[in-house]
Amino acid sequence: MKNIICIIFLIVSANGFAQSGIANDQLFLKYEAAYLTYLNNTDAQVLKKLDDDESTFYKMFISPKAIKSFKKQKNQSKWLEKNLSKTHYKSVMEAQEAYNGIVTAKNKMNDDSKIFTELLDELLKKYDSKLIWKTLTERMDK
């Protein structure tokens, strides 16, 4: 019984020490700053508009089979040219403009998140993902 209590104490204290170590790590502090900058710069309205635009774009397809076929293609613009009849779009240009708007917004979001994702990759070499997320969320709540 005494051994079990000692083991539990060691596990709890090791977890506490690990978290205090990551909280002072310069790499973690850079990651935290980059993540918070990304969150502050990413407008919730932009994300909602992107979701709405994507939802609206796919609603213009006649069938789920057409959506699946479109998503599999390497060149979606050519697919739209050849398969306009599988959509409710009036012209290829209209369909391509709608799709290009979605791609542009996603690319901007990916570029904006690139800094903190690179830092996260480096952190994952040193720490467990659960520890990183737990430390980040606890510090954000303060």
Side-chain angles (χ1 to χ4, degrees):
M1 182 70 172
K2 194 173 187 180
N3 289 341
I4 294 173
I5 294 173
C6 288
I7 291 172
I8 292 172
F9 177 74
L10 283 173
I11 291 170
V12 170
S13 62
N15 189 26
F17 288 126
Q19 191 167 358
S20 67
I22 189 174
N24 297 323
D25 188 320
Q26 289 300 313
L27 184 58
F28 176 79
L29 296 173
K30 287 179 186 176
Y31 165 73
E32 180 183 37
Y35 182 78
L36 292 173
T37 299
Y38 173 77
L39 286 182
N40 290 333
N41 290 342
T42 304
D43 187 6
Q45 296 299 323
V46 172
L47 293 175
K48 183 174 178 352
K49 183 182 181 321
L50 176 61
D51 287 342
D52 291 346
D53 287 352
E54 195 167 25
S55 174
T56 302
F57 176 75
Y58 288 117
K59 283 181 183 175
M60 295 294 283
F61 282 69
I62 292 174
S63 69
K65 187 176 178 181
I67 294 171
K68 192 174 185 178
S69 174
F70 174 79
K71 287 182 176 182
K72 284 183 180 179
Q73 299 302 308
K74 289 183 181 177
N75 188 339
Q76 279 85 9
S77 292
K78 274 193 177 178
W79 188 95
L80 290 169
E81 286 174 16
K82 292 179 181 178
N83 298 288
L84 187 64
S85 63
K86 295 180 180 179
T87 71
H88 294 293
Y89 285 103
K90 294 176 184 161
S91 70
V92 172
M93 189 172 173
E94 178 188 12
Q96 287 176 338
E97 284 178 5
Y99 180 69
N100 289 339
I102 292 167
V103 169
T104 301
K106 283 185 176 181
N107 287 341
K108 183 182 180 330
M109 286 177 51
N110 288 340
D111 289 345
D112 292 347
S113 69
K114 192 174 188 173
I115 295 169
F116 86 82
T117 53
E118 288 173 355
L119 291 169
L120 178 59
D121 289 342
E122 289 298 314
L123 270 175
L124 288 170
K125 294 176 183 174
K126 294 173 70 175
Y127 303 104
D128 178 62
S129 61
K130 291 178 184 176
L131 177 63
I132 295 168
W133 183 248
K134 181 180 177 187
T135 305
L136 181 66
T137 54
E138 285 179 359
R139 289 171 57 97
M140 287 172 51
D141 289 340
K142 290 181 182 179

